[in-house]
Amino acid sequence: MALIITLAHQKGGVGKSTLATNLRGYFAGGGYKTALVDIDPQGSLSKLVRTFSDQDGREPEHVIERGSYKTYKDLLTLLEPYDIAVIDTPPYLSKELQDVFEITNVILVPCKASPLDFLAIGDTLDLIRQAKTKRKDLIAAVVMTMVITGTDFTTQIRTELEKTEFPVLIAEIGNRVAYMRSLLKSNTVLGDENPKAREEIESLGKELISLLKNTYE
Ligand SMILES: Nc1ncnc2c1ncn2[C@@H]1O[C@H](COP(=O)(O)OP(=O)(O)OP(=O)(O)O)[C@@H](O)[C@H]1O
Ligand SMILES: [Mg+2]
């Protein structure tokens, strides 16, 4: 049965889809059979893979689109052959998101390192708190994204986030052109000419694996 990592944040444009495709690439590269599940009606990742899948050098991506299952029980059946599934979700809170949390092992909440984006995180954390009352083993963690180097408010935002009960991962994702550029190449920054983004995704992937191992092994 696949371990499920779900990217969630009610705010748009915080990097959910970008992290989802990068993490899929990281886990697949590490030898885990990995699926990418796109439950966002915008279908950003499904479209991305359909548009560019015939480019040279692209490895086949295992994308499960929204129309390919009816219930989340059906989705679990589709995920049986996989080791890991990364689920990308839309930018709003819904009953559907609650259903997804019920089958999730780790909820990863990307928090854009800007004051207004930080203030928008509360409702998502509340929904996770509700889900945790039903599922004691559900892990949730925050990752800081689009961090601009040299800004002092990143540390302040981290300090504020650390006041919640949710761990804030050590890995931070920088605000880098490489993340945009990668979507026209292999959908990940892992082969990018700038190694910094690759190192960030590797650190994040490693932290997620150790969270999963600590809880589910
Ligand atoms: N670390 C980053 N550095 C720079 N740009 C980024 C980074 N992550 C994402 N982006 C860019 O920011 C925009 C929003 O990213 P993305 O689509 O991944 O967010 P999202 O949370 O999935 O948005 P939505 O909620 O609308 O689906 C995209 O143009 C993407 O290329
Ligand atoms: Mg998205």
Side-chain angles (χ1 to χ4, degrees):
M1 177 55 70
L3 287 167
I4 299 181
I5 300 172
T6 296
L7 276 296
H9 193 310
Q10 70 165 117
K11 201 160 194 295
V14 298
K16 295 180 288 294
S17 302
T18 304
L19 283 182
T21 181
N22 273 286
L23 285 170
R24 189 213 72 87
Y26 172 76
F27 295 129
Y32 296 99
K33 194 163 185 230
T34 311
L36 186 59
V37 184
D38 187 6
I39 70 153
D40 186 349
Q42 292 177 102
S44 314
L45 293 179
S46 311
K47 280 183 202 145
L48 186 73
V49 170
R50 254 190 265 127
T51 310
F52 299 116
S53 61
D54 56 353
Q55 277 182 357
D56 285 351
R58 287 214 166 210
E59 52 168 315
E61 311 232 6
H62 297 252
V63 178
I64 296 176
E65 299 192 22
R66 205 169 183 255
S68 47
Y69 55 89
K70 275 212 178 94
T71 66
Y72 286 98
K73 209 168 153 240
D74 298 339
L75 176 61
L76 283 180
T77 310
L78 282 179
L79 292 179
E80 261 167 27
Y82 293 94
D83 302 314
I84 298 183
V86 182
I87 303 188
D88 185 30
T89 68
Y92 46 81
L93 305 178
S94 62
K95 169 74 178 75
E96 194 183 5
L97 193 61
Q98 284 177 305
D99 293 344
V100 174
F101 285 175
E102 280 190 26
I103 61 163
T104 294
N105 299 97
V106 180
I107 302 171
L108 183 61
V109 185
C111 179
K112 209 165 147 180
S114 90
L116 286 178
D117 286 279
F118 155 70
L119 292 169
I121 206 170
D123 291 341
T124 306
L125 297 185
D126 282 343
L127 198 73
I128 296 172
R129 287 185 183 103
Q130 270 181 40
K132 277 174 79 75
T133 60
K134 290 188 220 154
R135 283 266 324 282
K136 299 292 174 209
D137 62 344
L138 176 63
I139 310 169
V142 178
V143 60
M144 296 189 69
T145 60
M146 302 191 208
V147 172
I148 303 171
T149 23
T151 50
D152 56 353
F153 56 77
T154 299
T155 321
Q156 271 173 272
I157 292 172
R158 176 175 279 276
T159 307
E160 287 304 313
L161 286 169
E162 282 170 350
K163 291 179 184 164
T164 73
E165 70 275 41
F166 299 103
V168 184
L169 299 182
I170 297 162
E172 287 183 356
I173 304 299
N175 187 29
R176 300 183 191 285
V177 173
Y179 287 101
M180 288 197 186
R181 181 168 52 214
S182 67
L183 299 184
L184 289 172
K185 292 185 180 172
S186 60
N187 293 352
T188 79
V189 294
L190 298 168
D192 196 81
E193 62 247 38
N194 179 349
K196 289 192 175 148
R198 186 190 73 223
E199 286 161 15
E200 290 168 353
I201 292 298
E202 285 172 353
S203 304
L204 176 60
K206 279 185 199 144
E207 250 185 301
L208 288 170
I209 294 279
S210 77
L211 271 180
L212 282 166
K213 284 194 170 154
N214 287 344
T215 310
Y216 295 102
E217 264 186 7

